[in-house]
Amino acid sequence: QQQVKQSPQSLIVQKGGIPIINCAYENTAFDYFPWYQQFPGKGPALLIAIRPDVSEKKEGRFTISFNKSAKQFSLHIMDSQPGDSATYFCVGTSNTGKLIFGQGTTLQVKP
Amino acid sequence: EPEVTQTPSHQVTQMGQEVILRCVPISNHLYFYWYRQILGQKVEFLVSFYNNEISEKSEIFDDQFSVERPDGSNFTLKIRSTKLEDSAMYFCASSEFDWSYEQYFGPGTRLTVT
């Protein structure tokens, strides 16, 4: 199966909070797990990505945690800011470059 | 910074009409993609394209859809006879490396079929 399931659908946090977005996948053939960020009126943009043989990757305030045995991964945003308000997609990537998107999480960070 | 551009930003058409959505990928990219996002739903893969050929297509990409790279810069998606359910945001993307997870998306074309 090629699905990527994402939760929650929406999330509201206060500035400085740590929103967490969770994803689960079924296809063990996925070879990369990127996260894309989308602002209104824009296309999705790559935020951070992880390979399945790595348990954690951190770039700035964004961290991916990866649990290969559970087929789950999550995005944590440390010290969230109002400018982080956007829709976040977890993605599974096939070896042909096809991106399989999760349903998306709309994050609102209140000042 | 180089970016993917798409035209038009919004297209309204009547059911049964043909539409062509246009994209200009980043100039040194060789791999091209179309995705669509029906309002409120997830982004879905339509087709990938390399070396003037379709590399992979989804079950959504039926005979009503076609893609073309008519010159060295444009990449187009044609829908021959639009249906109401084709109403969606269509995103073009390109990547520099083969089958990369790092794809650069355009801002999208909102297609409304009435």
Side-chain angles (χ1 to χ4, degrees):
Chain A
Q1 283 292 344
Q2 296 249 316
Q3 280 193 349
V4 177
K5 296 182 180 178
Q6 181 172 350
S7 64
Q9 190 173 359
S10 63
L11 193 51
I12 301 173
V13 300
Q14 293 293 132
K15 177 182 172 183
I18 306 175
I20 300 172
I21 304 170
N22 299 299
C23 288
Y25 65 98
E26 298 165 354
N27 188 346
T28 55
F30 286 149
D31 56 3
Y32 264 97
F33 295 88
W35 286 84
Y36 276 74
Q37 180 188 54
Q38 183 180 28
F39 293 104
K42 302 282 190 181
L46 177 66
L47 183 64
I48 185 174
I50 195 168
R51 288 168 35 186
D53 56 350
V54 175
S55 61
E56 184 176 280
K57 183 170 182 181
K58 188 173 182 178
E59 284 185 5
R61 295 183 294 108
F62 300 91
T63 299
I64 303 176
S65 298
F66 193 88
N67 185 332
K68 187 175 181 178
S69 61
K71 292 190 239 174
Q72 294 176 344
F73 58 113
S74 59
L75 177 71
H76 300 228
I77 306 175
M78 310 301 287
D79 187 28
S80 58
Q81 302 295 313
D84 296 329
S85 297
T87 299
Y88 293 81
F89 294 96
C90 58
V91 178
T93 306
S94 74
N95 58 6
T96 59
K98 178 167 66 177
L99 302 184
I100 307 298
F101 283 75
Q103 291 92 331
T105 297
T106 301
L107 170 66
Q108 183 183 355
V109 181
K110 291 191 169 182
Chain B
E1 184 177 327
E3 58 182 16
V4 176
T5 59
Q6 290 186 243
T7 54
S9 58
H10 189 194
Q11 172 105 38
V12 181
T13 189
Q14 289 191 326
M15 197 166 51
Q17 295 296 304
E18 174 183 287
V19 294
I20 297 176
L21 310 182
R22 291 182 166 79
C23 167
V24 179
I26 293 173
S27 62
N28 63 330
H29 287 188
L30 300 176
Y31 302 85
F32 313 116
Y33 313 84
W34 283 101
Y35 294 82
R36 80 171 185 190
Q37 184 178 29
I38 295 172
L39 188 63
Q41 298 186 24
K42 62 182 177 180
V43 178
E44 299 174 289
F45 169 82
L46 290 178
V47 66
S48 57
F49 189 87
Y50 169 70
N51 200 26
N52 282 319
E53 288 185 350
I54 289 175
S55 301
E56 187 174 1
K57 58 184 181 180
S58 73
E59 58 273 12
I60 302 169
F61 195 90
D62 61 22
D63 292 344
Q64 293 300 314
F65 291 87
S66 62
V67 289
E68 191 179 31
R69 188 153 163 84
D71 54 42
S73 59
N74 290 283
F75 179 50
T76 62
L77 174 69
K78 182 194 290 186
I79 309 175
R80 286 191 187 82
S81 178
T82 51
K83 305 179 193 123
L84 293 175
E85 54 265 36
D86 293 327
S87 294
M89 182 73 89
Y90 288 81
F91 292 106
C92 171
S94 68
S95 65
E96 182 178 6
F97 303 107
D98 54 333
W99 315 133
S100 170
Y101 64 85
E102 186 170 4
Q103 297 178 15
Y104 292 79
F105 283 74
T109 292
R110 179 165 298 284
L111 176 66
T112 302
V113 183
T114 61

